[in-house]
Amino acid sequence: MADKPPRCEATYADLEELPPNAVGEIIGGELYVSPRPRPRHARAAFRLCNALGPFDQDPGEEGPGGWVLLVEPELHLGNEVLVPDLAGWRRERMPTLPDDVGITLAPDWVCEVLSPSTAALDRNWKMGSYAREGVKHLWLVDPSARSLEVFRRESGGWSMLGKHVGEVAVRAEPFEALALELGRL
């Protein structure tokens, strides 16, 4: 029986070679390639971003403010390259936007919109990476199930604060100042 060839660690050059209709991430040294999101996925992310818009207000503007929110930022955390659907940093931690493509400052909050092609990756690998890198809050949105799972990092792991399903108004950490209409997502 022949030995397996040694596994080569994925590099950023591997990401750069991907076609523009793919999303590439490096997790645990391996390259993961996903197709661009389906319309339902993209719409859920867009609507959630719109709903959270008041938190991304500049100082002096109306709304709770205090956050910098980005859609599909490329995060360079440790040796990994992750692309969450949405991410947010408290403004005091990120007072100005970086000019670099790869953001090295771990977000305070990430949201992954689950789809059939990415749900296992989001739940199994990326959640562990986010916890290890110090992300404080994580949301998993499932547009098909019309659900929102809310997590807080505690003792290095994730504690589920709640799972909300259906046509409900939700006040979820860290954006509990605003009620989100889950059915709209």
Side-chain angles (χ1 to χ4, degrees):
M1 183 176 230
D3 290 333
K4 283 184 171 179
R7 182 174 65 93
C8 294
E9 294 282 314
T11 66
Y12 198 77
D14 296 323
L15 292 176
E16 291 175 323
E17 291 177 10
L18 295 176
N21 63 337
V23 177
E25 299 175 287
I26 299 173
I27 305 169
E30 292 196 41
L31 177 64
Y32 290 87
V33 181
S34 305
R36 296 295 309 157
R38 292 179 182 180
R40 181 180 291 201
H41 178 120
R43 188 174 195 199
F46 177 78
R47 285 188 166 177
L48 180 57
C49 189
N50 279 340
L52 296 176
F55 290 95
D56 190 46
Q57 301 298 324
D58 289 326
E61 293 182 340
E62 191 173 328
W67 287 83
V68 174
L69 301 174
L70 297 175
V71 176
E72 293 187 351
E74 185 174 294
L75 306 176
H76 291 208
L77 304 177
N79 294 326
E80 297 185 321
V81 178
L82 304 165
V83 182
D85 292 296
L86 300 168
W89 292 258
R90 294 195 182 272
R91 194 169 296 278
E92 62 265 15
R93 290 189 59 240
M94 183 187 275
T96 59
L97 286 175
D99 277 338
D100 299 326
V101 169
I103 299 172
T104 58
L105 179 64
D108 294 292
W109 167 82
V110 295
C111 177
E112 294 289 356
V113 178
L114 303 177
S115 62
S117 63
T118 64
L121 180 64
D122 292 338
R123 284 188 183 282
N124 298 320
W125 296 104
K126 291 175 79 172
M127 282 182 77
S129 295
Y130 294 140
R132 186 175 51 257
E133 294 300 326
V135 174
K136 293 176 178 51
H137 299 277
L138 169 74
W139 289 6
L140 297 177
V141 172
D142 186 335
S144 296
R146 298 179 81 141
S147 69
L148 167 64
E149 296 173 58
V150 180
F151 298 87
R152 180 192 314 134
R153 189 174 57 84
E154 295 176 345
S155 304
W158 293 111
S159 175
M160 183 186 273
L161 302 180
K163 181 173 182 175
H164 310 277
V165 180
E167 301 284 334
V168 295
V170 177
R171 292 186 182 272
E173 279 189 25
F175 302 109
E176 61 270 21
L178 186 67
L180 297 172
E181 297 295 330
L182 188 57
R184 290 267 309 141
L185 305 182

